[in-house]
Amino acid sequence: MERDRKILIDEETIMKRVAEMGAKITADYEGKDLLIVCILKGGVIFMSDLVKHIHLPLAMDFMAVSSYGASTRSSGVVRILKDLDEDMEGKDVLIVEDIVDTGLTLHYLIDYLKSRKPGSVKACCFLDKPTRRKVEVEVDYIGFEIPDKFVVGYGLDYNQKYRNLPGVWVLDENDN
Ligand code: IMP
Ligand code: MG
């Protein structure tokens, strides 16, 4: 990743922030019935690190949605590729996502999960690109705000690649 790409957030900075977020979530969800809903595939690295800093008995489930093809811009179309396995009635659901960009995916997911009668639904996103928002959406926990650049690493991909990078990098659209 050295050539033509720039690091935006390094691994050490991410680890510190994720630990802080875990501590905050631990305090906020004390005594609740926490269900972490990780959004595949982008949320998986973040979720894996985050749950190690949440010191509560919690359950985890996974959903896969698709709003992008092989493009770096949102199509605005959200499709459910994999639904939840577990019943969520009465549970305090925390959606764990890689990034909120236009907000379309998260907006759709919050509505969808609320319709399944949970105790509560909140959202925790590793990254936020606030200048790109098309719909208003409340994000309760945000790791980092970033500028309008296409980024990869720490779960985020371009054409399914680069998810395993331990930091966040700005992708030069000329190479892939
Ligand atoms: P939204 O519906 O526009 O908010 O898009 C959310 C989804 O778009 C995220 O879950 C990501 O999968 C993808 N996405 C948005 N921006 C980026 C980026 O900079 N890099 C990689 N994926 C992105
Ligand atoms: Mg994604």
Side-chain angles (χ1 to χ4, degrees):
M1 282 305 283
E2 275 71 37
R3 202 169 54 89
D4 300 327
R5 290 167 202 153
K6 277 202 311 222
I7 192 150
L8 192 65
I9 313 169
D10 66 31
E11 188 178 4
E12 200 188 329
T13 308
I14 293 173
M15 289 305 126
K16 254 179 80 183
R17 182 70 187 122
V18 171
E20 281 170 14
M21 295 174 87
K24 177 81 168 79
I25 292 165
T26 302
D28 292 353
Y29 282 85
E30 175 87 67
K32 300 205 168 165
D33 192 2
L34 177 57
L35 173 65
I36 302 276
V37 173
C38 174
I39 309 305
L40 297 172
K41 302 168 191 162
V44 80
I45 308 270
F46 175 45
M47 186 214 75
S48 309
D49 286 337
L50 182 68
V51 291
K52 289 181 263 181
H53 296 281
I54 303 175
H55 304 295
L56 296 171
L58 56 81
M60 292 178 230
D61 206 345
F62 298 87
M63 275 184 83
V65 297
S66 166
S67 56
Y68 283 75
S71 137
T72 55
R73 291 292 165 194
S74 178
S75 60
V77 178
V78 179
R79 272 192 306 146
I80 294 184
L81 306 176
K82 186 216 164 292
D83 209 338
L84 297 173
D85 296 326
E86 310 289 328
D87 180 46
M88 52 178 282
E89 200 167 325
K91 302 238 165 95
D92 294 297
V93 173
L94 184 62
I95 302 169
V96 174
E97 236 305 33
D98 52 0
I99 187 167
V100 54
D101 184 29
T102 63
L104 290 165
T105 306
L106 196 58
H107 186 264
Y108 173 86
L109 281 169
I110 290 171
D111 272 5
Y112 174 75
L113 292 174
K114 277 188 175 161
S115 76
R116 296 180 54 160
K117 310 220 178 342
S120 63
V121 179
K122 286 190 175 184
C124 175
C125 292
F126 172 56
L127 300 177
D128 181 16
K129 280 188 207 170
T131 58
R132 293 256 308 149
R133 211 69 97 243
K134 283 188 189 157
V135 289
E136 207 177 301
V137 61
E138 195 180 333
V139 188
D140 305 275
Y141 305 94
I142 291 167
F144 303 90
E145 276 192 11
I146 62 164
D148 180 14
K149 294 269 161 55
F150 196 83
V151 295
V152 295
Y154 203 69
L156 292 116
D157 74 305
Y158 176 71
N159 279 350
Q160 301 302 328
K161 298 269 168 58
Y162 312 121
R163 293 192 198 275
N164 57 318
L165 294 172
V168 173
W169 299 70
V170 175
L171 184 73
D172 182 332
E173 289 175 20
N174 296 321
D175 57 20
N176 48 47

